[in-house]
Every structure is written in structure tokens, then in C-alpha cells.
Amino acid sequence: MSTTNGEHDGRWAFVNGNNTPRIARISLSTFRTEEIIEIPNSSGNHSSPFLTENSEYAVAGTRFSYPMDDDDSNPDVGIDSYKKNFKGTVSFIGIDKETGRMGVSFQVMLPGVNFDLSRGGRGPSKDWFFFSCYNTEQANTLLEVNASQKDKDFIMALNWKKCEEYAKAGKGKKSKVRYAHNVYDEKTHTATSTIETETIVLDPKELKDIVYFMPCPKSPHGCDVDPTGEYICGSGKLAAVIPVFSFAKIQKAIADKSFEGEFDGIPVLKYDAVLHGEVKKPGLGPLHTEFDGKGFAYTSFFVSSEIVKWNIEKLEVVDRVPTYYSIGHLSVPGGPTRKPHGKYVIAYNKITKDRYLPTGPELTQSAQLYDISGDKMKLLLDFPTTGEPHYAEAIPASLIQSKSVKIFKIEDNHHPYVSKGEKEAKVFREGNKVHVNMTSIRSHFMPDNIEGVKLGDEVYFHVTNLEQDWDVPHGFAIKGANNAELLIMPGETCTLKWVPDRVGVVAFYCTDFCSALHQEMQGYIRVSPRGSNNPLTFSTGNKAEPTGATK
Amino acid sequence: MNLPTPLNKDWVATGKATYDLKCLACHKLSDEKLVGPGWAGVTKRREPVWIMNMITNVDMMLEKDPEAQKMLEECLVRMPNQNITQEDSRKLIEFMRSNDGEK
Ligand SMILES: [Cu+2]
């Protein structure tokens, strides 16, 4: 979620797509996706979309390294040539301060490893970004075993401010790529899609002072920065300790060149030189850490199914509570910011087993809410969730409430096929395309009887919801539209394309319960054979006086 | 509320435009019911303040006002809040008066 000065500002939420590497930006005033940007040079967008302190950038790391398939390289290589040919990238997606518009500002080319999670610095560390890296063994098969060989993998520390400077100074290489950039326009209620063809790639083998590796025990998942920005907590899935790194020590180690060597041309800092300390015997399988702003950290433990509270300065465990079961991520409202609200923590669990009534081989997932305002954590609520609950952030409703859009003003609707009132509803033909500019209101469509469509036509239903009251959507569904129907918000226009495949009269109807007469909210469209002379007509209510209909 | 004559022609026109956009789907100008009652005679049977409340504060009216509730029992569809300002509701009344034959 977007932040200003390291605090949630309630403007946007960002979501990553893993399999089709991309980032979406969602407006928190409409809860609509305003923009989606595909990430080039990426295979599995993980460690994303975490943000810098003032939402200058969202990051996108490739989970899987692979032979980059941009047009300057030849990706047709043996899978066992991982060490030689496979590369990783992390990308910085610039975010416009005012509009939120995104663009791929620069990418950093990295050795082939897996990138898991990341976190932006804050306060003293605000110019830096931290990424957990695993499979530093560079295995290309049976990673379960082969990527669990080394005692330590890495947390990568990256100076994004320097990267930005180098990118602006032309120190990057231009890479030919192809990626889509889709933007939604709230005024026209429509989206545009553009294909972009270039990115700037920085190479840390040449630009020596932008990336450093820090050894971190073992296969780290979380790498979480505390509210002060001084401490970075690694959570090694297979580690018996929680290592806590100190940002001040990292800076000193870099200045002193306290390197234990290089990994693929990138300096590796000495573990002891950057370590604040380790939490000993905290539990089994640490995954993710959140903070309460009072000097305590809360780490989830997958294998031992618990949340462990510990003191960041003293590195001492002070409390633990069980979770039901196998907790993955956890969330303190405002936890990953400078000012956590610090009253609650939510446990998001991966495995349910005996919590609920049986529903076949799969059970719904579970979550728990704990009160963390006192010394001891207290279970408040144990509740089911749908889907596997993953990383989440929570913010106070007051940050969103006052900006929440309740309706789209019909006066401001500039959709090219809007009907501003029933008088503007009409049906017209352009070759084999039939446009239906239709309105809906509790509880009828205008028009609701349409004739003169022929087999071979493509019909475009442009439905305008004339309601101007909060929470009164109308729906639109028609048989033969096999993978979509519409849900139209008050004052909005949406389009559904329908290509009839047979002759006959087909019903359409409202799919969102809108009034006592919702079940009556329906209409018919007649499809005649190819070459039929049935004229295009439309109406609602044969006695209706102000229709402008032909009958 | 005082309703002077002659009618304000501009207000009648603006009221008509609002009617076309936001009311016509449910109200006819005759006495025939569509989703809601036809508007013929509405300025004779209702006080202007009552009409303005119905337009700008309909949820309160349907909760408290016996006349509004009686209509809801017949129509069974709640008259929607169409996001109309005080000013625009006054212009709608001018249009309703003109529909009722005032000059
Ligand atoms: Cu409906």
C-alpha cells in the first residue's frame, strides 16, 4: 500500500501477478484497478510490489532466474547451463506522485538465484532496498534438496537512489523488450493498452557501488525492516535463528570494504560485520516479521505453528502464541511502516485440518486475530478465509473512508456509448456491428425488446446504470456470452460483446438484486437468419410515451 | 417556501433536462403510473417542501413520512436518491409546475 514519509496514505494498493509478471495499481477511492504494467525480463514476479518510503517506486524481482529472452540474447540454451546463462533482475517501477501512473524506470541485472521477498528501507535506510535470495547454490533441478545445501544464502542490499542516478546519467544499457501497459480512464470508463519496447538495464558488475550481498541463514523468506529503519530481520525457512542486521553496520562494512569475497562479481559482506545479533532458538521455520512500533517484533513460524514476540534491541523472546495451523504471513495494521498501530496482529494460516466441518478433500483456510496491546498476546477471533491467505497489509478505515467514491456522477460520464437518460437509449447498426446503447434503473432496461439482429452480427451492449445512489449496481447477462457478464456501478457504462450463434429469441436480465421487482428486470433480443429483412427496432413498454422507440 | 409567478423559464428548462436524465425512467408526465406515480397534479397535491424532501432526502421520507410510506406500499420500489442538489430540486419543482399548467 502506498506510503508518504513511510506512513500509509490510503491512496493506492498494489498487487503482483506471479505467473504473468506484472503489477496492478488499485485506487483506494474506487477499489478499481486503474493500471496494470507487465514486467519485462522477469519470470515469476515475486518480492513484489513493495514500495519505497514515499512510493517513488514499486519493486518487482524475478522469482525464477532464467536465460533472458529479450532480443539481444539467445535463450535457447541447456537447462543445466544455469550457472553460465541464467540471470535474475529486479525492476523499479516509477510511480507518479499525483496520478499514480507507473512506468518501468530501470532494471538491475543480477546473478542467477531466486528472489523471494523484499522490503524498502525507511528513515536512515530510505535509499536502500533489501531482497531475500535463495538457491544461491544455483541449482536447476530438485531445488527442495539442491537449493538447501548451503548454511547461508543472501539478503541483497541495493542502493536504489544510486541506481536512479546512474539510470538518469545514461549508465544503463537499453534493452529491447516487449511488454504491455494498460491504463483505465475513469472519465470514459474504458481502458487503453500500449506495447512498450525498451527498458534501461543497470549492470552491478560495472557499477560497483549499487548492490551488496549479506550472508543470511538459510533459504530466507522474509527480510523485514523495523519501523526505525535501522534493523533488517531475515527469516530463514530452514534456520534455527533469526538474524538481525544493522543498517549502520552495513554502511560501515561497505566503507571498510569488509568483504568475505564475491558472488558472480558482486561483493559479499562479512556476516559478523553487518550483524546486530541473532535471536536464538526462536521456533521452527520462521517466515515473516512484523512490528508494533514499541520495540517488539512478531515473527511467524510455519513449522512450529506459532507467533513469537521478541525484543529487537535485546534479541530476547518475550511471548509466544499458537496458531491453527502452519502460519505463513502475519499482519499488524501499519506494521510495515514507520508508525505501526500496534494493537492487533492477524495470523494467515496455510493448513486447516480440524477447524471446520468437512467439505471434501479441501478445507477453507483459517486466520486468527490477536490482541497485542498488552504484554501477552491474546486470541480474539478464529475465523475462516477463502483462498490461501497470503501477504496482506491493514490500515485504519479512516484513511480511506472520506475519499471513498460512492457513485460515478452521470454528468461526468464520457463513455463514447453512454446513454444519459432513457431518451438517449438507442440501437444502431455499423455494418455487421450492432450497438445497443442501453440504460438500467430499478427495475427495467431501456430498451428491453430488440429486433432486427441477424446471424453474423456482433452485438455490443453498452449498458449505462442511471442510478445515482450508493451500492445500487445493476448487472447484465445474456445466454451465449460464455465467459463474461456485466456488473455496472451507479453512473457507469460498461460494454459486453455478444456474438449470437443461432437464430431465436434470447433473454437478457439483471444479475444484481436491485429491488423487489429485480426478478422482473429482463428483456428479449430477437436474432433472425442471415439476410433477413426484419428491420432494427427497439422499445420498452409498448405504451410508454417518451421512448423515441420504433415499433 | 414562496413560488412566484410567472415561472422562471431557465429553471423550467434545467428542470426538464434533469428529469430526462434522472427521473424519466420511472415517472411519466401524465397521471399514469410507471415505476413511480405520474407527475400530473403533483404540485397541487403536495407542498413544495414535501416534494423537495422527497427528491433530496428520500431515505428519511420513506422512513418517517406516512404519505411517502403509503406510496411505497403501492409501488414496492424505493424511490432512489438520484444525487440532486437543493438548487436542482427547486428547478425540478419549476418544471413540475409548468407540467401542471402554471405559467
Ligand atoms: Cu437490476
Side-chain angles (χ1 to χ4, degrees), chain A residues 380-392:
Chain A
L380 295 178
L381 183 67
D382 177 7
F383 57 102
T385 68
T386 44
E388 181 205 307
H390 205 248
Y391 178 83

Side-chain angles (χ1 to χ4, degrees), chain A residues 407 411 422-423 442 444 468, chain B residues 16 22 25 80-82:
Chain A
I407 59 163
E411 291 88 347
E422 288 196 349
K423 273 194 174 164
R442 278 165 274 180
H444 60 274
Q468 291 288 276
Chain B
K16 163 94 166 62
K22 294 185 166 181
N81 167 2
Q82 285 290 70

Side-chain angles (χ1 to χ4, degrees), chain A residues 400-418:
Chain A
I400 296 179
Q401 222 152 12
S402 64
K403 302 179 223 170
S404 192
V405 166
K406 297 200 164 91
I407 59 163
F408 295 106
K409 278 199 179 146
I410 185 89
E411 291 88 347
D412 298 340
N413 180 329
H414 296 289
H415 191 287
Y417 296 93
V418 63

